[in-house]
Amino acid sequence: EKRLAPYPIYPASFAYARMEDYLVEAKKISIGSKKLQRILTEIHVPLNIPKGIYNGKIEIKQSSKIIKRIDLTVKILPIELDQANHFNPAYTDPYMMIGSDLIWSQDTIDDLFKINREMGVDPFIWESADFFQIVTNGDESNKSIVDIDTSNFETKLEKMIDEKYIKKYAMIMIWSISSKIYTYLFPLAKEKELYDNLSSQEYQDAFGLFVQKLLSIGNQHGIEFIINLADEPAKNLYSRTLYDRLGPIVHKHYGKLSATYWKICEEPVTFEKEDGTTVILLGMKNLIDFKVYSLIDSDENDKKDFEEAFDEGYTNIGLYTTETSYLSHPLYHRFEHGLFAYRAGAKVISLFGIHAVFNDPFNDFDFSKDHAYPFFPDVLSMYPIWEKGKLLRRLTTIGVQQG
């Protein structure tokens, strides 16, 4: 399946891929007469393969005549490398796209587990709408949340554990349950009432109940959940308010917080409430346990933010690789997830593995990087094969694994 065919996307009518960079199991490759073709060959070593020496060969033929033979020898050593000191949450939640434009089959989900496991990445769990359900007292005149149903989430978590996808850490974005609790308790709330409503005892109790249950589930399985409350708190007041009001609840139950981080997060924010009084949100330096920076962005200050954090001895700093995840050459990812992470002392290297299919998922050059929206290509580390319900590895996976 070549990605050079036109494929309908939004908002453009058609787009064309510029290169093929997915990996296929190739027993035979044909090159036409008077054609020049560059081929990258990787020897795939499955997990848990027995130690020993494995021999093979590559034969180059012209009109069935062998003109060159390349002998291959791979020695599998009886050792296993230690886990890296950092963890690599991948935006590739096996369940995040169910019900979206891309219909996942069980084969696809199984493939996703296998590829992620071989890459060595950790879960970045997007809380879908059906993961957690609020349980109410049923009294509309005196509303109360009495429990949080976590059964659906636990079923999916146990699948991740059975697949050996989760090792020790899992990043989890809990954007839906906080909204569900809020909408139930304050269905007619105005925008400027957010701070007071999040501060209310009934909301604090309900959200605290959820956090307590979530962290208890993690403890039962020996997993540490790193909680992300909202997107990019430096860029909008809503996200900043959620972290200010709900972050202390997470810490109260001995949980850890993560956020996409900029130096500006450490400055206080002032705004006016519905009644005209002024509120000051404190800086987030002591609130965020895992500060994840964007190292390569359009703003040169983003690079300085990370450098200053490194120079000042911040602990648990991290990077997310949104802008480089779509680059094809394994060298980039081997460097970011290996030597760079080690030398920079990063504790988190987040990988954009596979994103929503608002673009053509076979074409990671639909739009230029500075396109207004979507603002990045598909940043896929793997491609779907529609007819077979399977996924193809991309060169990205090789670099991340080696790093």
Side-chain angles (χ1 to χ4, degrees):
E1 291 184 44
K2 297 184 183 299
R3 297 189 296 123
L4 300 178
Y7 194 91
I9 60 168
Y10 174 84
S13 298
F14 292 93
Y16 295 84
R18 300 179 187 169
M19 62 189 302
E20 299 172 58
D21 62 347
Y22 56 78
L23 294 168
V24 295
E25 183 178 353
K27 295 182 178 179
K28 181 180 179 180
I29 300 173
S30 297
I31 302 174
S33 175
K34 298 182 180 180
K35 298 289 185 181
L36 179 65
Q37 183 172 340
R38 181 174 59 179
I39 300 169
L40 172 68
T41 303
E42 289 280 347
I43 298 175
H44 178 63
V45 180
L47 293 176
N48 304 319
I49 190 172
K51 66 178 181 180
I53 296 177
Y54 294 78
N55 297 306
K57 60 186 176 183
I58 295 175
E59 293 180 341
I60 302 175
K61 298 180 180 179
Q62 184 176 22
S63 301
S64 301
K65 179 182 178 182
I66 297 176
I67 59 175
K68 187 173 182 63
R69 177 182 286 116
I70 303 171
D71 294 320
L72 301 173
T73 299
V74 177
K75 185 177 182 181
I76 305 299
L77 301 175
I79 61 174
E80 184 175 340
L81 296 176
D82 293 334
Q83 291 292 336
N85 289 327
H86 62 279
F87 70 107
N88 295 273
Y91 294 62
T92 322
D93 187 332
Y95 303 105
M96 66 179 285
M97 294 192 190
I98 292 178
S100 71
D101 296 335
L102 178 58
I103 305 301
W104 290 87
S105 67
Q106 188 58 51
D107 285 342
T108 311
I109 293 175
D110 291 343
D111 259 17
L112 190 49
F113 276 127
K114 180 180 179 181
I115 294 173
N116 280 353
R117 193 167 56 239
E118 291 183 351
M119 274 201 294
V121 296
D122 300 283
F124 194 109
I125 302 172
W126 292 69
E127 179 219 344
S128 66
D130 65 340
F131 273 15
F132 307 107
Q133 301 295 333
I134 60 174
V135 180
T136 71
N137 62 354
D139 184 355
E140 289 299 314
S141 62
N142 185 27
K143 289 184 174 183
S144 175
I145 295 175
V146 298
D147 197 8
I148 305 292
D149 183 356
T150 60
S151 56
N152 196 15
F153 170 73
E154 291 185 71
T155 298
K156 291 177 168 57
L157 180 68
E158 287 168 3
K159 171 68 172 175
M160 292 184 183
I161 294 171
D162 290 342
E163 292 284 347
K164 296 181 172 56
Y165 180 30
I166 296 183
K167 296 183 282 292
K168 180 180 179 182
Y169 297 103
M171 194 83 77
I172 181 167
M173 307 185 81
I174 52 173
W175 298 0
S176 177
I177 187 64
S178 57
S179 178
K180 282 182 181 179
I181 296 172
Y182 190 84
T183 303
Y184 173 75
L185 294 176
F186 311 105
L188 301 177
K190 298 178 181 178
E191 183 178 348
K192 288 189 176 182
E193 295 174 339
L194 177 67
Y195 180 88
D196 284 340
N197 289 340
L198 293 179
S199 305
S200 68
Q201 194 63 53
E202 58 263 50
Y203 190 94
Q204 295 267 313
D205 289 344
F207 189 76
L209 173 63
F210 164 73
V211 171
Q212 190 174 14
K213 291 196 70 171
L214 177 67
L215 297 178
S216 177
I217 292 169
N219 290 335
Q220 292 171 21
H221 295 287
I223 299 166
E224 184 171 4
F225 290 123
I226 312 299
I227 295 175
N228 188 300
L229 293 173
D231 191 29
E232 300 185 346
K235 295 188 176 181
N236 66 82
L237 182 59
Y238 172 80
S239 296
R240 185 69 181 264
T241 305
L242 253 64
Y243 270 98
D244 184 87
R245 296 292 82 200
L246 306 186
I249 301 176
V250 175
H251 283 171
K252 177 183 176 181
H253 295 285
Y254 305 102
K256 299 290 180 62
L257 289 169
S258 175
T260 306
Y261 202 80
W262 287 267
K263 192 72 173 178
I264 196 173
C265 290
E266 299 176 8
E267 299 177 7
V269 172
T270 303
F271 69 95
E272 193 175 274
K273 296 195 300 182
E274 182 72 15
D275 61 5
T277 58
T278 299
V279 173
I280 300 176
L281 303 180
L282 300 179
M284 302 175 68
K285 180 178 180 180
N286 296 323
L287 182 66
I288 305 302
D289 303 289
F290 289 84
K291 301 174 177 66
V292 182
Y293 295 81
S294 171
L295 183 63
I296 305 175
D297 211 334
S298 56
D299 189 348
E300 188 68 26
N301 289 328
D302 290 348
K303 304 180 185 65
K304 294 179 180 177
D305 284 355
F306 178 81
E307 292 168 2
E308 287 181 14
F310 178 75
D311 292 340
E312 293 175 21
Y314 281 31
T315 58
N316 293 345
I317 57 175
L319 303 167
Y320 69 89
T321 63
T322 304
E323 293 81 6
T324 53
S325 291
Y326 68 90
L327 297 175
S328 299
H329 202 294
L331 174 66
Y332 299 105
H333 311 287
R334 189 163 63 235
F335 173 72
E336 286 182 332
H337 291 265
L339 180 61
F340 180 82
Y342 174 74
R343 291 299 298 271
K347 294 300 182 184
V348 185
I349 304 290
S350 297
L351 167 73
F352 236 150
I354 185 169
H355 200 256
V357 288
F358 46 67
N359 295 348
D360 166 12
F362 282 79
N363 177 5
D364 46 321
F365 295 97
D366 296 354
F367 299 101
S368 62
K369 177 177 176 292
D370 56 355
H371 190 276
Y373 185 83
F375 57 92
F376 47 73
D378 295 325
V379 290
L380 297 168
S381 60
M382 55 203 80
Y383 297 113
I385 308 175
W386 299 101
E387 300 86 43
K388 302 176 184 177
K390 292 285 188 177
L391 294 168
L392 292 174
R393 288 169 179 79
R394 189 173 172 232
L395 299 184
T396 307
T397 62
I398 298 296
V400 174
Q401 182 183 31
Q402 292 173 346

